Amino acid sequence: MDLFSVKDKAVLITGASRGIGRALAQGFSDAGAIVYGTGSRPESVSWTEGTPIKGVAADLRSETDMKDLINQIGKDHGRLDCLINNGATTLDIPASAIKEADLENVVATNFKGVFRACQAYYKMQRKKGGNIINIASIAGLHGAFLMSVYAGTKGALIQMGNSLAVEWASSGFRVNAICPGFTETDMTASIRKNEDYSEKLKESIPMRRIAKPEEMLGAAIFLASDASSYVTGSTIVVDGGLARH
Ligand SMILES: NC(=O)c1ccc[n+]([C@@H]2O[C@H](COP(=O)([O-])OP(=O)(O)OC[C@H]3O[C@@H](n4cnc5c(N)ncnc54)[C@H](OP(=O)(O)O)[C@@H]3O)[C@@H](O)[C@H]2O)c1
């Protein structure tokens, strides 16, 4: 038995159009999983055409999109082995300049959307058990400059997952989080464009480099596989040591 196998597991990954989510979708698919990957719009997931990955549009801010998708996967496939809540949006501006609509958008995407997906998954599969992986952030553990609302949603996401881990353990659900550090994706493009700041940031990372999106895959495979069968309510930090500096 391959302890770390995800072969034939049905895995739903949100925010799979680009960045970390796309790397996870590709990695799980390469490892033999049956992958459903979402983006906010149909165009976002057009890259999955011609691949075994099933690309689906589902807006995390919608009250019904994720619920409908999860129920549809249940009908089509009979089960969903793992839900990876990766899709999110950021806001890196001074707290004093944040407008009501921006606040609502980040909370609706990063927190409410994830909660609804977890709830729909549990309701669909409470008799069979399940596995939830929330992609949080080291900003959710320690806060971060200009990221008050984003960091707040990520901290809330970690504690939401820890609470669900306790509440749903008796139904056979495991719930864990991964906290990426600074990773080379669109989300960090504007910060990386500032070369001085980017260099200072790298110096502050003990491993002296920014992560590649693919470097989040190992932790996700561990949490999605039987290798982590007794792990729930845990947070794995994948940040090159940044949070310890
Ligand atoms: N990059 C980092 O340094 C870093 C660090 C710590 C944690 N993280 C976390 O890692 C995860 C992935 O980040 P990333 O850097 O890969 O982000 P990214 O490149 O900005 O991609 C964000 C993904 O989320 C999707 N998304 C955004 N709003 C959505 C909505 N309303 N409905 C559905 N999907 C939506 C996007 O879909 P569309 O393409 O359709 O917009 C896209 O697939 C996030 O949870 C992020 O908070 C990232």
Side-chain angles (χ1 to χ4, degrees), residues 111 140-141 154-164:
F111 186 78
L141 293 172
K154 291 297 182 175
L157 180 58
I158 294 166
Q159 296 313 334
M160 181 224 291
N162 288 343
S163 305
L164 296 180

Side-chain angles (χ1 to χ4, degrees), residues 28-76:
F28 272 83
S29 180
D30 291 347
I34 298 149
V35 177
Y36 297 81
T38 76
S40 63
R41 294 163 290 116
E43 313 86 85
S44 310
V45 286
S46 56
W47 74 271
T48 60
E49 282 163 23
T51 77
I53 298 162
K54 296 162 189 43
V56 193
D59 193 324
L60 286 161
R61 295 164 298 184
S62 152
E63 283 186 27
T64 53
D65 279 10
M66 285 303 296
K67 185 170 138 199
D68 291 348
L69 172 59
I70 287 167
N71 288 334
Q72 195 58 50
I73 293 172
K75 277 188 198 135
D76 293 348

Side-chain angles (χ1 to χ4, degrees), residues 15-20 39-41 44 58-61 86-88 109 135-137 150 154 180-183 185-188:
S17 62
R18 50 203 165 95
I20 293 171
S40 63
R41 294 163 290 116
S44 310
D59 193 324
L60 286 161
R61 295 164 298 184
N86 165 81
T109 309
I135 308 298
S137 169
Y150 171 80
K154 291 297 182 175
F182 202 70
T183 309
T185 69
D186 292 349
M187 195 172 267
T188 55

